[in-house]
Each structure stands twice: as C-alpha cells, then as structure tokens.
Amino acid sequence: MCILDVRKPLKNRVVLLPQKNENIVITGHDTQPVFAVGSLNHLMLIDDRDPNTTDITSVKILEPAQGIRSLSFQGNIITIGACKTSLMFYDVRNRKYVHDYEYVPVKRKLKQAYVNENWDWHVHRHSFYPPSTSDVISIMTHCYDDSGLRLFSAGGPLPLDLVGNYAAVWE
C-alpha cells in the first residue's frame, strides 16, 4: 500500500501490509497520523508518526469472512461497516472492541432491507445465498453527524445478480 499525504508536497511511503486478502477500504484520522485498512478478516491500524518505522496492528474482525466495506474514525473509535449488515466499534486507544456492560462486544445489525427477489433469487437462494436478505446486504458507507450522536449507514447486496438497498440512521 502506498500512503500519500496530500497536505505535504511529495511525501509518500510504501507499507507492506500483513494481511493481503481483499484489502478493500482505507481511512485516515483527521488529526493524528493513523490510518485504518479493512480487509476480508482483519482491521489493520497503521501508526505513521515516525517516517523510519511503521507500527502495524492487525485485529481480527468479530465474525470471520464478513469483509470490511467501510471505515471511519470518531475520535479514538473506529466504526466498521461490514457484510451481513454489521456495524462494529473498535477503540484504538485501548486496542479492543467496545463492550457493553456485560463485556459483550457492541455490534449492530439491521433487521430489514430491500432486495429484489427475482426468479433467479428464489431458484438459487438456498444453494448460493444465505437464508435471510440481511445476510447479503453490506454496509458500504457510513458517517456521523456533526454532533457525533447519530450515525448514517447505507449499502446494498454484494452478489451481482441481486438488486436492493439499505439506509438507516442510528441514534
């Protein structure tokens, strides 16, 4: 991966990532030299403070083989949008997933989405696709409002032969 800082003229670096399977999305922190890269099974954090060394932390996502599709920083928390309509939250400072009061990782899933269930969908549904429509929807983008209290997320189905969409505001 090549990191190019557009705020500084001609400063770029090449960083070899430990996970090479489906590196799909990258985001940078607004105020710190930290980048996050999402892949099929891992979230990778790249600390770019020292130009001579690179600290890379690789963290497995909560449900393997989901695939990270969107990332964003909100202070020290990374919000992760993934396949199967999952939203997960990772605390960079503490280097662990955000937990609820029972120490269970906080994860949000949508309950309903629109998928055009065409004839091919019904014929091949059980052999190729998971049993529920929310299992084929991925969160492709998300962002917080200015207050940081509401989160907008949107996406659609990953299989090319399906048509559909999903959008939600989480409070």
Side-chain angles (χ1 to χ4, degrees), residues 4-11 28-35:
L4 177 63
D5 188 347
V6 295
R7 296 169 289 198
K8 297 178 182 173
L10 298 175
K11 181 190 176 213
H29 197 284
D30 289 338
T31 59
Q32 299 175 16
V34 177
F35 298 91

Side-chain angles (χ1 to χ4, degrees), residues 120-157:
D120 289 335
W121 167 260
H122 286 291
V123 170
H124 301 291
R125 178 178 180 156
H126 298 294
S127 58
F128 293 113
Y129 301 113
S132 112
T133 56
S134 67
D135 288 340
V136 296
I137 301 285
S138 295
I139 295 178
M140 301 294 194
T141 188
H142 65 270
C143 64
Y144 287 89
D145 69 348
D146 291 338
S147 69
L149 298 176
R150 288 183 294 205
L151 175 65
F152 170 77
S153 60

Side-chain angles (χ1 to χ4, degrees), residues 74-129:
Q74 181 72 4
N76 290 316
I77 305 294
I78 297 177
T79 305
I80 303 164
C83 295
K84 298 184 182 179
T85 65
S86 292
L87 277 172
M88 297 165 272
F89 306 92
Y90 186 81
D91 188 338
V92 177
R93 184 181 303 151
N94 294 321
R95 295 191 178 222
K96 63 181 181 179
Y97 284 97
V98 175
H99 291 80
D100 64 10
Y101 63 93
E102 295 177 346
Y103 297 102
V104 175
V106 174
K107 185 172 68 170
R108 300 291 180 248
K109 291 185 79 139
L110 83 98
K111 304 258 188 276
Q112 194 171 16
Y114 167 74
V115 175
N116 183 14
E117 296 188 7
N118 58 28
W119 182 81
D120 289 335
W121 167 260
H122 286 291
V123 170
H124 301 291
R125 178 178 180 156
H126 298 294
S127 58
F128 293 113
Y129 301 113

